[in-house]
Amino acid sequence: MHTTVLILLLLAALAPMGVRVIGKSAGLIIATVSLAITGWYASRFGIVTAGAPILETMSWVPSLGVGVEFLLDGLSLTFALLICGIGGLVLLYTSSYLGDSPGLGRFYATLLTFMASMLGLVLANNLIVMFIFWELTSITSFLLIGFDFHRESARRCAWQALVVTGLGGLCLLAGIILLAIASGGSTGPEFAIRELDPGAILDSPLAGASVILTLIGCFSKSAIVPFHFWLPNAMEAPSPVSALLHSATMVKAGVYLIARLEPTLNEQRFWSDSLVAFGATTMLLGAALATRHVAFKKLLAYSTVSSLGILVMLIGLGAYAAAATYLIAHALFKACLFLVAGTATHIAGTKDTEAIGHLGRSMKISRWSALLGGLSLAGVAPFIGFAGKELTIKSGLNAGGLEAILLAIAIGLAAALTVFASIQVAFKPFFMPGPHKPEHAQEATWPEWLGPIILATLGLVLGLAPFLGMVPLVESFGASLAGAPLADDVTLGLGYLLWPPSIPLGISVLAVVIGIGLFMGRSPYRSLLAKTFAWDRFGPERTYDRLVGTTLASAQVLTNALQNGSLRSYTRIIVLTATACVALATLRIDAVASYLPSFGALTPFDVMLALTIAASAVSATMIRSRLGAIAALSGIGFAIAVYFVLHGAPDLAGTQFAVETLIVIIFVLVTHRLPRFARYTTNLSRSIDIVIALGLGSVVTTLTLLAMGSTVASPVSDFQAAEAVPSAYGRNVINVILVDYRAIDTLGEVFVLAVAAIGVFTLLTIRPSREAEATR
Amino acid sequence: MLIALPVLIPMLGAALCLLFWGRSRPQAVLALASTASMLAASVWILFGVRDGTILTLNFGGWQAPFGITFVADLFGAIMVTLGAIVGLAVMAFSVGASDRLRASSGHYPLSLTLLAAVSGAFLTGDLFNLYVWFELMLLSSFVLLTLGGERGQLEGAIKYVTLNLLSSMLFLMAIGLIYGTVGTLNMADLARRIDDLQDPKLATLLATLLLVSFGIKAGAFPFFFWLPASYHTPPPAVSALFSGLLTKVGVYAIIRVLSLIFDQEWSLLGDVVLVVAGLTMVTGVLGAIVQNDMRRILSFHIVSQIGYMLMGLGIAIGLVGSLGASSPIAVLAMSGAVFYIFHHIIVKANLFLISGAVLITTGSTNLKEVNGLAKSHPFLSMLFLISSMSLAGIPILSGFWAKFVLVRGGLEAGSYTIVLVSLAVSLLTLYSMTKIWTQVFWGEPDDLKSPPLDRRTKAWVYSPIAGMCVLTICIGIGAESSARLALDAAEQLLDSSRYIDAVFDGASAQIGDAP
């Protein structure tokens, strides 16, 4: 199983080169490989459906509890077959559909990467590995929606889809980690899905949060209300993408994960209830919204939203066999219809199903794909879609009580609307008149019609003869969700479904009748629906736009306020924060006063020196001539040197005197030609600065006094002074420290000076050329 | 001697470069040779400390704490190696992308002194020596910023240098107070002696000053102003060097002093760090999403991502502080910080290099002026896509693992708020990375104003970028070795006794005339 994923990735890497070398027929090779992989998975069919899941393990990041463990059971086998099978047909279709596009190589690479990721997603038995593939499908979906990136709308919709699914992805990440923590208890998180402990999760206080977050992730990916809006917008992607990602596989990732976690979480009432509530709402809303549209893909997209809702609802109801049947049926007919819609749009030159008429006269093969696919979508016997719908209604009725009645009505209504939609999309443009009749239209080449007709026929064959693999697959799919073999036999045979007549059958027939009726009266119905467009501004898409808008606006305000370009404001904020932090840290200390040294020991000399230093500091900030300011500054330095003399540190004092003298001389040399300081600030601004400066000054003073009062040990300089002569052979301790004890500091400082010199030199010599300045 | 090489080699290289002032080719050769050998030395050190040994070097043979000690533990060795990687990549990029004037007069030697300073900061075990490296770093970067003397550069540089000098001043003040109180500058010695203070709150007080100073260097909230004001102004190679290394030295210093010295009130400091982390993440990313220039967007993201590094630290020390002992969860969170740093250094520097490639190809990095590179420059676009997705934390790249470890650590530790914030910020990061992608790389290509790059330039510009992309993919796929490294480094960080023991009685290599 690892190999199949790797093969697809390898193929993705080679695809661009392949297309460049052998042209669009590279697609045929790629499609063949994909179908061969489908064959490999089909060959495991017997083993898996017999109830023996296949497990392959590979170590990856054991330190973080992440191993690439692949599990092939009924659930993942179903998905794997759909991904590789439909994927193969779509790849084939693409070789004709996008055959002339310059981006074909890029398209194949991205689509194959997607297929590999999707395959990895459904096979992974480790939550984190699953998540890794999950995110990769989001990214590849983003790149594919924006495939025609010269169109602004494609770019915008791709971005929207990524942000919405990205949001879900992050929630999911948190959700699954919480789930793993809840399951693992004290032994650390448990990331292996099969080892998750339902009991421990049920008891954990983290259960609620993890379920909500996981559901947000799944719902956003599977376009469940209120996240559904990105999916119709994703129809900016080329048709093969819509067929594979946005109907058959990727959007089902959320459904897949819900199914995968079902055995772990089905005892949480909240989990099942949310699935049913959100699923049913989505089902109904999607079906209704679909009927508002006449464009091929928009309509199909909303219909997909509805179907995803059905799947989520069915899992919530515990109707695993129904979910499996509907999932397979939907993948077959929806992929088929999307592919046909793509071809039809190409041939007719418009995507308006109402405008196109009698397209079937030119599309002699594709019209049958459309018809068969449409009938399956409408849920008409004997197609597999019929079985899916019957089981769905039955599961709704099984819920019991009021819930059953509500669900039955909702499902019936959605079914009727879906019948309407399927006539609109699969029958009307092909077999009925319309104003737009393309002249000289011809059927597409074989790679384009072969896939859809296979998918459509499969829908019919499986409906007629479900025992051809369908029943065991559904059973084993159901067993994966139930965590045990299903209690009831799976009844998909037409005989069981049609006889004896039952309530579900009645609802089903009624839905078809209503659907046809709606279609007949579609112009008054549409004008009624047109009024609902006004409600869209309360819808989630506008909410999303508003949310993005508000975030950007407030970000702008905040950034303008903080990063306002004024150095003065930056300095103030930093100094004030520093002052506040130090003040807070000082106030925490109990009995601060006890640490302060006594002032009794001060001599008059000390006081004089202190006053000199203070006076020099103040005048340095006041004097407006540079020379005067330098003189004031040096006053501080010399006073400190005198202080060293008084306290018995002659070598320190000597160094200080030398340094100060040197600094003054250099300063004077450098600055004596410069003009006086200019004053740019207002008095108010200066007063504020004075207050801020005094604030920092006073906390630092307090801090210094505190530090002096809490000295704990003799400094290392005692050793350094003691050893200066015997070990370091130097009499001046300062010199010994500079060139021996801490020589590496000096080396660093030498480089600092050298760099400063380079800086001065380059500032004076290198001027920007006028040209460079102009381009800035 | 080995562990001084990452500092001495670039210093020597810089000095030699000065001999060839005015000639770009010999300087470029010297710079490439120095950074390559610096990388070799760093990797050698990394292998030396891989098993958990901590290498020390007492300069002049003076036994700690009387001289200056260099210490290479796992964290330090990792950082030095990353510095060397970024250095080498930037030097290679400079060969292709630098203009003649800058390349011949100062760009290479100053970049080398900057690298020396960065390595010194990562390796030193002495607080004042750290200050010296900070100074060298500040001055080198300041001169690099002004080199060329364009208006925008000077304006950015003034803000840069003023605010960073403020940081230096606070740092120096803190050193003075710490020495006055505890009487030592050797960090291991400090860690031992500071517990003698009467009240642990006094230690926290001393730490406050230090943390504010390092916070400015790191670009944490509310000290980050200098960064977005200056990073977009110098030539791209210089921005890349800065973006990869400067703030990370600040973060390194915060992690080092908090984990080694100031462990008295970890549960309180952990909370403080988390608050700062959250605010840094949010303000940074909000700044980023409203920018319309690649380099400005990337600069604001640096700020935001500093928050992630602090997040790991905050969770870890907060947890150890409240439990009273180290735990696997704390180690995990700490390793998240380490992992994030090394992921970030590579990816962020690379994104700046890519923006540089965009700049020299199209003449602009403005989102509104550059379009359609995916069509006209597919290879460059792919490199950007990989790096930007890595930055946004998309699997299977390095950024995903960094994010995963942090989020997992945070959730296990019960720090739900910061995890929530970090995830929201992560979404906005994805938003702004795809904003660059949809506007600069998608769309119709413009007619390029600049002439197409010649083959030689292209090779020098693209190869370091491609190399760093391979690195982010490799870290992602080979996540086990990176995770192991980060976990081991984190374990060492949270157990300061190992560092202290290594400095005082560990196997220390000595040079010079020991007394």
Short mmCIF file of all heavy atoms in Angstrom, two decimals, chain A residues 60-64 149-150 159 563 565 588 712 714-717 719-720 740 742 745 766 776, chain B residues 62 66 105 126 128-129 139 150 159 179-181 183 193 225 265 408 416 434 443-444 477 480:
data_model
loop_
_atom_site.label_atom_id
_atom_site.label_comp_id
_atom_site.label_asym_id
_atom_site.label_seq_id
_atom_site.Cartn_x
_atom_site.Cartn_y
_atom_site.Cartn_z
N TRP A 60 8.27 5.94 11.29
CA TRP A 60 8.60 7.23 10.71
C TRP A 60 9.17 8.19 11.76
O TRP A 60 10.36 8.46 11.77
CB TRP A 60 7.38 7.85 10.01
CG TRP A 60 7.69 9.08 9.22
CD1 TRP A 60 8.94 9.45 8.78
CD2 TRP A 60 6.80 10.09 8.77
NE1 TRP A 60 8.86 10.62 8.08
CE2 TRP A 60 7.56 11.05 8.05
CE3 TRP A 60 5.42 10.28 8.89
CZ2 TRP A 60 7.00 12.18 7.47
CZ3 TRP A 60 4.86 11.41 8.30
CH2 TRP A 60 5.64 12.33 7.60
N VAL A 61 8.31 8.70 12.63
CA VAL A 61 8.80 9.60 13.66
C VAL A 61 8.39 9.04 15.02
O VAL A 61 7.51 9.58 15.68
CB VAL A 61 8.21 11.03 13.48
CG1 VAL A 61 8.98 12.02 14.33
CG2 VAL A 61 8.26 11.45 12.03
N PRO A 62 9.04 7.96 15.44
CA PRO A 62 8.62 7.33 16.69
C PRO A 62 8.71 8.27 17.89
O PRO A 62 7.91 8.14 18.82
CB PRO A 62 9.58 6.14 16.83
CG PRO A 62 10.68 6.41 15.86
CD PRO A 62 10.12 7.24 14.78
N SER A 63 9.63 9.22 17.88
CA SER A 63 9.76 10.12 19.03
C SER A 63 8.49 10.91 19.27
O SER A 63 8.24 11.36 20.38
CB SER A 63 10.88 11.13 18.81
OG SER A 63 12.01 10.52 18.33
N LEU A 64 7.72 11.12 18.22
CA LEU A 64 6.49 11.90 18.37
C LEU A 64 5.26 11.02 18.24
O LEU A 64 4.15 11.51 18.11
CB LEU A 64 6.45 13.03 17.34
CG LEU A 64 7.60 14.04 17.42
CD1 LEU A 64 7.53 15.02 16.26
CD2 LEU A 64 7.54 14.81 18.73
N PHE A 149 -5.04 30.51 -13.48
CA PHE A 149 -4.80 31.60 -12.54
C PHE A 149 -4.77 32.98 -13.18
O PHE A 149 -4.58 33.97 -12.51
CB PHE A 149 -3.53 31.35 -11.73
CG PHE A 149 -2.30 31.09 -12.54
CD1 PHE A 149 -1.75 32.06 -13.34
CD2 PHE A 149 -1.69 29.84 -12.48
CE1 PHE A 149 -0.60 31.82 -14.06
CE2 PHE A 149 -0.55 29.58 -13.22
CZ PHE A 149 0.00 30.58 -14.01
N HIS A 150 -4.95 33.05 -14.50
CA HIS A 150 -5.02 34.40 -15.06
C HIS A 150 -6.39 35.02 -14.81
O HIS A 150 -6.57 36.22 -14.94
CB HIS A 150 -4.70 34.38 -16.55
CG HIS A 150 -5.59 33.44 -17.32
ND1 HIS A 150 -5.27 32.11 -17.51
CD2 HIS A 150 -6.79 33.62 -17.90
CE1 HIS A 150 -6.25 31.54 -18.20
NE2 HIS A 150 -7.17 32.43 -18.44
N TRP A 159 -8.39 30.85 -3.16
CA TRP A 159 -7.93 31.39 -1.89
C TRP A 159 -8.99 31.18 -0.80
O TRP A 159 -8.69 30.76 0.32
CB TRP A 159 -7.65 32.88 -2.09
CG TRP A 159 -6.83 33.54 -1.05
CD1 TRP A 159 -6.21 32.93 0.01
CD2 TRP A 159 -6.52 34.92 -0.96
NE1 TRP A 159 -5.55 33.86 0.75
CE2 TRP A 159 -5.72 35.09 0.18
CE3 TRP A 159 -6.84 36.04 -1.72
CZ2 TRP A 159 -5.23 36.34 0.57
CZ3 TRP A 159 -6.36 37.27 -1.32
CH2 TRP A 159 -5.55 37.43 -0.19
N GLN A 563 2.98 50.55 14.63
CA GLN A 563 4.12 50.75 13.73
C GLN A 563 3.90 52.06 12.97
O GLN A 563 3.70 52.07 11.77
CB GLN A 563 4.21 49.56 12.76
CG GLN A 563 5.52 49.47 12.01
CD GLN A 563 6.65 48.99 12.87
OE1 GLN A 563 6.44 48.25 13.82
NE2 GLN A 563 7.86 49.42 12.58
N GLY A 565 5.83 54.69 12.46
CA GLY A 565 6.92 55.34 11.77
C GLY A 565 7.66 56.37 12.60
O GLY A 565 8.66 56.92 12.17
N ARG A 588 6.98 43.68 43.89
CA ARG A 588 6.64 42.34 44.39
C ARG A 588 7.45 41.96 45.62
O ARG A 588 7.05 41.12 46.40
CB ARG A 588 6.93 41.29 43.30
CG ARG A 588 5.99 41.31 42.13
CD ARG A 588 6.45 40.29 41.12
NE ARG A 588 6.35 38.95 41.64
CZ ARG A 588 7.36 38.10 41.72
NH1 ARG A 588 8.55 38.45 41.32
NH2 ARG A 588 7.19 36.90 42.20
N VAL A 712 25.65 38.89 47.58
CA VAL A 712 25.73 37.61 48.29
C VAL A 712 27.12 37.02 48.35
O VAL A 712 27.41 36.23 49.24
CB VAL A 712 24.81 36.56 47.65
CG1 VAL A 712 23.38 36.85 47.98
CG2 VAL A 712 25.03 36.48 46.16
N SER A 714 31.58 37.24 47.29
CA SER A 714 32.69 38.07 46.86
C SER A 714 32.84 37.90 45.35
O SER A 714 32.71 36.80 44.84
CB SER A 714 33.97 37.64 47.56
OG SER A 714 34.21 36.29 47.27
N PRO A 715 33.15 38.98 44.66
CA PRO A 715 33.22 38.91 43.21
C PRO A 715 34.46 38.17 42.72
O PRO A 715 35.44 38.05 43.45
CB PRO A 715 33.26 40.38 42.79
CG PRO A 715 33.80 41.10 43.96
CD PRO A 715 33.34 40.35 45.17
N VAL A 716 34.38 37.67 41.49
CA VAL A 716 35.52 36.95 40.93
C VAL A 716 36.72 37.86 40.76
O VAL A 716 37.84 37.39 40.65
CB VAL A 716 35.18 36.30 39.57
CG1 VAL A 716 34.20 35.18 39.73
CG2 VAL A 716 34.70 37.32 38.59
N SER A 717 36.48 39.18 40.79
CA SER A 717 37.62 40.07 40.61
C SER A 717 38.60 39.97 41.78
O SER A 717 39.76 40.31 41.64
CB SER A 717 37.14 41.50 40.41
OG SER A 717 36.29 41.87 41.46
N PHE A 719 39.70 37.20 42.99
CA PHE A 719 40.65 36.20 42.52
C PHE A 719 41.54 36.83 41.45
O PHE A 719 42.75 36.65 41.44
CB PHE A 719 39.89 35.01 41.94
CG PHE A 719 40.75 34.05 41.17
CD1 PHE A 719 41.38 32.99 41.80
CD2 PHE A 719 40.94 34.22 39.80
CE1 PHE A 719 42.17 32.11 41.08
CE2 PHE A 719 41.74 33.35 39.07
CZ PHE A 719 42.36 32.28 39.72
N GLN A 720 40.88 37.57 40.56
CA GLN A 720 41.63 38.13 39.44
C GLN A 720 42.72 39.09 39.96
O GLN A 720 43.83 39.11 39.43
CB GLN A 720 40.68 38.86 38.48
CG GLN A 720 39.84 37.86 37.69
CD GLN A 720 38.73 38.53 36.91
OE1 GLN A 720 38.30 39.63 37.23
NE2 GLN A 720 38.26 37.84 35.88
N ASP A 740 44.32 39.33 29.31
CA ASP A 740 44.53 37.94 29.67
C ASP A 740 43.25 37.26 30.13
O ASP A 740 42.67 36.46 29.39
CB ASP A 740 45.61 37.85 30.76
CG ASP A 740 46.16 36.44 30.87
OD1 ASP A 740 45.47 35.51 30.43
OD2 ASP A 740 47.27 36.28 31.40
N ARG A 742 40.20 38.21 30.27
CA ARG A 742 39.05 38.37 29.36
C ARG A 742 39.52 38.85 27.98
O ARG A 742 38.90 39.72 27.37
CB ARG A 742 38.04 39.34 29.96
CG ARG A 742 37.54 38.91 31.34
CD ARG A 742 36.41 39.78 31.83
NE ARG A 742 35.24 39.63 31.00
CZ ARG A 742 34.25 38.75 31.23
NH1 ARG A 742 34.31 37.98 32.29
NH2 ARG A 742 33.24 38.67 30.42
N ASP A 745 37.08 39.08 25.06
CA ASP A 745 36.24 40.29 25.03
C ASP A 745 36.95 41.38 24.24
O ASP A 745 36.34 42.07 23.41
CB ASP A 745 36.02 40.83 26.45
CG ASP A 745 34.89 40.12 27.16
OD1 ASP A 745 34.16 39.37 26.48
OD2 ASP A 745 34.73 40.30 28.37
N ILE A 766 30.83 55.89 -0.05
CA ILE A 766 29.90 55.29 -0.99
C ILE A 766 28.60 56.07 -1.01
O ILE A 766 27.87 56.12 -0.03
CB ILE A 766 29.59 53.82 -0.60
CG1 ILE A 766 30.88 53.02 -0.56
CG2 ILE A 766 28.61 53.21 -1.59
CD1 ILE A 766 30.66 51.57 -0.25
N ARG A 776 14.03 53.82 -6.46
CA ARG A 776 13.46 53.51 -5.15
C ARG A 776 12.11 54.16 -4.98
O ARG A 776 11.93 55.32 -5.30
CB ARG A 776 14.41 54.00 -4.05
CG ARG A 776 15.60 53.08 -3.94
CD ARG A 776 15.44 52.17 -2.75
NE ARG A 776 16.11 50.89 -3.00
CZ ARG A 776 15.99 49.86 -2.21
NH1 ARG A 776 15.22 49.91 -1.17
NH2 ARG A 776 16.61 48.74 -2.48
N TRP B 62 42.26 29.99 31.94
CA TRP B 62 41.76 30.40 33.26
C TRP B 62 40.53 29.58 33.61
O TRP B 62 39.54 29.61 32.90
CB TRP B 62 41.42 31.89 33.26
CG TRP B 62 42.64 32.73 33.06
CD1 TRP B 62 43.01 33.37 31.92
CD2 TRP B 62 43.65 32.98 34.02
NE1 TRP B 62 44.20 34.01 32.10
CE2 TRP B 62 44.64 33.78 33.39
CE3 TRP B 62 43.88 32.60 35.34
CZ2 TRP B 62 45.78 34.21 34.03
CZ3 TRP B 62 45.00 33.03 35.98
CH2 TRP B 62 45.96 33.83 35.34
N PHE B 66 36.86 32.35 36.32
CA PHE B 66 37.73 33.53 36.36
C PHE B 66 38.06 34.09 34.99
O PHE B 66 38.35 35.26 34.86
CB PHE B 66 39.00 33.19 37.15
CG PHE B 66 38.68 32.70 38.52
CD1 PHE B 66 38.91 31.38 38.89
CD2 PHE B 66 38.07 33.56 39.43
CE1 PHE B 66 38.57 30.95 40.14
CE2 PHE B 66 37.73 33.11 40.69
CZ PHE B 66 37.97 31.80 41.05
N SER B 105 33.12 46.64 -1.46
CA SER B 105 33.55 47.47 -0.33
C SER B 105 32.70 47.25 0.90
O SER B 105 31.88 48.08 1.23
CB SER B 105 33.51 48.94 -0.74
OG SER B 105 32.31 49.21 -1.41
N ASP B 126 29.48 33.28 29.05
CA ASP B 126 29.78 34.41 29.91
C ASP B 126 28.88 35.57 29.54
O ASP B 126 28.74 35.92 28.37
CB ASP B 126 31.26 34.80 29.70
CG ASP B 126 31.71 35.87 30.68
OD1 ASP B 126 31.38 37.05 30.45
OD2 ASP B 126 32.36 35.51 31.67
N PHE B 128 29.00 38.86 30.12
CA PHE B 128 29.56 40.07 29.52
C PHE B 128 30.09 39.80 28.13
O PHE B 128 29.98 40.63 27.23
CB PHE B 128 30.66 40.67 30.40
CG PHE B 128 31.15 41.98 29.84
CD1 PHE B 128 30.43 43.14 30.05
CD2 PHE B 128 32.30 42.04 29.07
CE1 PHE B 128 30.84 44.34 29.49
CE2 PHE B 128 32.72 43.25 28.51
CZ PHE B 128 31.99 44.39 28.73
N ASN B 129 30.66 38.62 27.95
CA ASN B 129 31.12 38.25 26.63
C ASN B 129 29.95 38.24 25.64
O ASN B 129 30.09 38.66 24.49
CB ASN B 129 31.82 36.89 26.70
CG ASN B 129 32.59 36.58 25.43
OD1 ASN B 129 32.34 35.57 24.80
ND2 ASN B 129 33.50 37.45 25.04
N LEU B 139 26.78 46.47 15.57
CA LEU B 139 27.51 47.40 14.73
C LEU B 139 27.65 46.87 13.31
O LEU B 139 27.47 47.61 12.34
CB LEU B 139 28.88 47.69 15.35
CG LEU B 139 29.25 49.15 15.18
CD1 LEU B 139 28.21 50.05 15.80
CD2 LEU B 139 30.61 49.45 15.75
N GLU B 150 21.53 54.64 0.65
CA GLU B 150 20.28 55.13 0.07
C GLU B 150 19.39 55.70 1.17
O GLU B 150 19.49 55.31 2.32
CB GLU B 150 19.57 53.99 -0.66
CG GLU B 150 20.27 53.60 -1.95
CD GLU B 150 19.75 52.30 -2.51
OE1 GLU B 150 18.58 51.98 -2.25
OE2 GLU B 150 20.53 51.59 -3.19
N LYS B 159 16.43 54.07 12.99
CA LYS B 159 15.50 53.45 13.94
C LYS B 159 16.10 52.17 14.50
O LYS B 159 16.02 51.89 15.69
CB LYS B 159 14.17 53.15 13.24
CG LYS B 159 13.40 54.41 12.99
CD LYS B 159 12.23 54.21 12.06
CE LYS B 159 11.62 55.58 11.78
NZ LYS B 159 10.83 55.61 10.58
N TYR B 179 26.45 41.57 38.37
CA TYR B 179 27.80 41.39 38.89
C TYR B 179 27.91 41.99 40.29
O TYR B 179 28.52 41.41 41.18
CB TYR B 179 28.82 42.05 37.95
CG TYR B 179 30.23 41.78 38.35
CD1 TYR B 179 30.78 40.51 38.18
CD2 TYR B 179 31.01 42.77 38.94
CE1 TYR B 179 32.07 40.24 38.58
CE2 TYR B 179 32.32 42.51 39.34
CZ TYR B 179 32.84 41.25 39.16
OH TYR B 179 34.12 40.98 39.57
N GLY B 180 27.27 43.14 40.47
CA GLY B 180 27.31 43.77 41.78
C GLY B 180 26.67 42.89 42.84
O GLY B 180 27.11 42.85 43.98
N THR B 181 25.65 42.15 42.44
CA THR B 181 24.94 41.34 43.43
C THR B 181 25.59 39.98 43.62
O THR B 181 25.82 39.53 44.73
CB THR B 181 23.49 41.10 42.95
OG1 THR B 181 23.03 42.28 42.35
CG2 THR B 181 22.61 40.71 44.08
N GLY B 183 28.41 38.80 41.89
CA GLY B 183 29.86 38.79 41.85
C GLY B 183 30.48 37.92 40.79
O GLY B 183 31.65 37.56 40.88
N ARG B 193 25.25 30.55 41.95
CA ARG B 193 25.31 31.52 43.05
C ARG B 193 24.01 32.29 43.26
O ARG B 193 23.78 32.82 44.33
CB ARG B 193 26.41 32.53 42.75
CG ARG B 193 27.80 31.95 42.84
CD ARG B 193 28.72 33.05 43.31
NE ARG B 193 30.08 32.83 42.87
CZ ARG B 193 31.03 33.73 43.05
NH1 ARG B 193 30.74 34.89 43.59
NH2 ARG B 193 32.25 33.48 42.66
N PHE B 225 9.42 47.27 17.04
CA PHE B 225 9.29 48.32 16.01
C PHE B 225 10.47 48.44 15.06
O PHE B 225 10.31 48.74 13.89
CB PHE B 225 9.07 49.67 16.69
CG PHE B 225 8.02 49.63 17.74
CD1 PHE B 225 8.34 49.70 19.08
CD2 PHE B 225 6.69 49.49 17.38
CE1 PHE B 225 7.36 49.64 20.05
CE2 PHE B 225 5.70 49.44 18.35
CZ PHE B 225 6.04 49.51 19.68
N GLU B 265 11.61 31.26 39.74
CA GLU B 265 10.16 31.47 39.69
C GLU B 265 9.64 31.13 38.31
O GLU B 265 9.01 31.95 37.65
CB GLU B 265 9.84 32.93 40.04
CG GLU B 265 10.16 33.26 41.49
CD GLU B 265 9.61 34.63 41.85
OE1 GLU B 265 10.25 35.64 41.54
OE2 GLU B 265 8.52 34.68 42.43
N ARG B 408 0.93 20.19 20.18
CA ARG B 408 0.76 19.01 21.02
C ARG B 408 1.25 19.27 22.43
O ARG B 408 0.58 18.94 23.41
CB ARG B 408 1.54 17.83 20.40
CG ARG B 408 1.38 16.58 21.20
CD ARG B 408 2.15 15.41 20.63
NE ARG B 408 2.44 14.48 21.71
CZ ARG B 408 3.21 13.42 21.58
NH1 ARG B 408 3.77 13.13 20.43
NH2 ARG B 408 3.43 12.64 22.61
N TYR B 416 -4.40 25.89 26.95
CA TYR B 416 -5.30 25.93 25.80
C TYR B 416 -5.35 27.29 25.11
O TYR B 416 -5.45 27.39 23.90
CB TYR B 416 -6.71 25.51 26.23
CG TYR B 416 -6.73 24.12 26.82
CD1 TYR B 416 -7.12 23.91 28.13
CD2 TYR B 416 -6.32 23.03 26.07
CE1 TYR B 416 -7.10 22.63 28.67
CE2 TYR B 416 -6.30 21.75 26.60
CZ TYR B 416 -6.70 21.56 27.91
OH TYR B 416 -6.66 20.31 28.44
N THR B 434 -0.57 32.84 1.08
CA THR B 434 -1.30 32.62 -0.17
C THR B 434 -1.66 33.95 -0.82
O THR B 434 -1.87 34.00 -2.02
CB THR B 434 -2.57 31.79 0.07
OG1 THR B 434 -3.17 32.20 1.28
CG2 THR B 434 -2.24 30.33 0.16
N GLY B 443 -1.72 35.06 -11.86
CA GLY B 443 -2.06 36.22 -12.68
C GLY B 443 -1.27 36.24 -13.98
O GLY B 443 -0.47 35.35 -14.24
N GLU B 444 -1.54 37.25 -14.79
CA GLU B 444 -0.84 37.35 -16.07
C GLU B 444 0.54 37.95 -15.86
O GLU B 444 0.68 38.95 -15.16
CB GLU B 444 -1.64 38.25 -17.02
CG GLU B 444 -2.75 37.56 -17.79
CD GLU B 444 -2.28 36.36 -18.59
OE1 GLU B 444 -1.13 36.35 -19.07
OE2 GLU B 444 -3.08 35.41 -18.73
N ILE B 477 10.63 15.31 5.97
CA ILE B 477 10.53 13.87 5.75
C ILE B 477 11.34 13.11 6.78
O ILE B 477 10.91 12.09 7.31
CB ILE B 477 10.98 13.54 4.31
CG1 ILE B 477 9.97 14.13 3.33
CG2 ILE B 477 11.10 12.03 4.11
CD1 ILE B 477 10.34 13.99 1.89
N GLU B 480 12.18 12.47 12.13
CA GLU B 480 12.62 11.76 13.32
C GLU B 480 13.94 12.31 13.85
O GLU B 480 14.08 12.61 15.03
CB GLU B 480 12.75 10.26 13.04
CG GLU B 480 13.34 9.44 14.17
CD GLU B 480 12.52 9.50 15.46
OE1 GLU B 480 11.35 9.92 15.40
OE2 GLU B 480 13.07 9.15 16.53
#
